[in-house]
Amino acid sequence: MSYLTTPLHTGRAVTDAAPLGVGVPGFAHPLLAPTEWAELLRLSRGLTSTGTSHRGAGPRGGAAALHWAVLNVARGPGVLPDPHCLPAAAQLRDAGTRLLGYLDLGCGARPFGELVSDAHRFLEWYKVDGFYVDRCPTDRTLLSETRRLTTTLRALRDGAHLVTGHGGHPHPGYAEAADQLVTFAGRWSDYRWSQVAEWTADYPPGRFCHLVHGVPRTHLEEALRIARWQGAGTVYFTDRLDDGGAAWESLPGYWDEFVSRIGPGISE
């Protein structure tokens, strides 16, 4: 199969991979997507909408399949606490969800002070557990500035979980700047033929995330196999198409099937 490219060094095998988990890159506002937030809460509590139990040893005692969910109020925390996001965030935290505040790095263009200010607002208003740093650079020249930011974010909250959203494989030095790296974010038509960078084999699967839109239901199993082969530990697949960045804002049409295939019981 063409996507099984660039052999990884001995030891990386599909059967040795850790169980996959779900990372939700950011549903729409709770007023616009009440079903999505309700399903996220069900998954946090260890249930799908059908009532099937998936409870296990998650990152904070919640559902094992849910690794984290991103809170994106308005391309960040907004200028004031949102009266609808506040209770939604509190419910998820109480259910054991690892909640990440959305920070837009702007490919390295946003001022450091603005990003730190947004981080403070997320922590003060929504008590987030870490941050999803989107549009993160990939080249070596901006590595030091990115590390400066992630070091500061860790200082703001003890034990902060940091995910850097590169969208592709960055310079290997970025692996030390965050807990997880999004090394693929894009279309299924690109993902199914994608190659994995050889340097990723030096890290466990839990360090990498793949976010793929436009995945047909008939190719869901294939997408899961690709993710595990390429060493991803956290994934989000949807059949929604990207329309101005809206692919992640609503549930995939096969949500129940998707989450039921994630976790310790998945068979490869």
Side-chain angles (χ1 to χ4, degrees), residues 133-264:
V133 185
D134 198 15
R135 295 205 292 168
C136 196
T138 59
D139 56 291
R140 186 175 184 176
T141 58
L142 295 175
L143 176 57
S144 61
E145 278 300 302
T146 304
R147 282 183 169 176
R148 178 190 178 203
L149 174 63
T150 56
T151 299
T152 301
L153 295 177
R154 292 190 192 281
L156 295 180
R157 189 197 187 283
D158 185 39
H161 187 80
L162 302 182
V163 179
T164 47
H166 305 275
H169 288 94
H171 181 277
Y174 283 92
E176 305 307 319
D179 296 289
Q180 293 182 296
L181 290 74
V182 178
T183 52
F184 186 94
R187 301 174 298 182
W188 163 245
S189 57
D190 295 325
Y191 186 61
R192 69 184 308 189
W193 309 114
S194 62
Q195 298 186 24
V196 61
E198 292 187 30
W199 65 262
T200 63
D202 294 329
Y203 297 89
R207 297 296 304 280
F208 304 106
C209 312
H210 292 173
L211 311 175
V212 190
H213 58 76
V215 181
R217 181 189 297 268
T218 53
H219 289 279
L220 183 57
E221 184 65 30
E222 181 184 357
L224 290 168
R225 289 194 174 116
I226 295 172
R228 297 197 66 172
W229 180 265
Q230 293 197 1
T234 304
V235 298
Y236 187 84
F237 298 145
T238 180
D239 52 353
R240 307 302 182 192
L241 300 177
D242 190 43
D243 182 13
W248 321 122
E249 294 184 355
S250 58
L251 290 172
Y254 44 64
W255 171 252
D256 279 356
E257 182 179 355
F258 171 51
V259 298
S260 71
R261 290 174 178 264
I262 302 293

Side-chain angles (χ1 to χ4, degrees), residues 2 11 16 20 35 45 53 63 78 82 89 92 104 107 129-130 134 158 180 188 196 199 204 207 209 239 250 252:
S2 300
D16 294 335
L20 288 171
T35 300
R45 291 170 173 168
S53 175
D82 187 283
L92 289 175
D104 184 359
C107 300
D129 302 294
D134 198 15
D158 185 39
Q180 293 182 296
W188 163 245
V196 61
W199 65 262
R207 297 296 304 280
C209 312
D239 52 353
S250 58

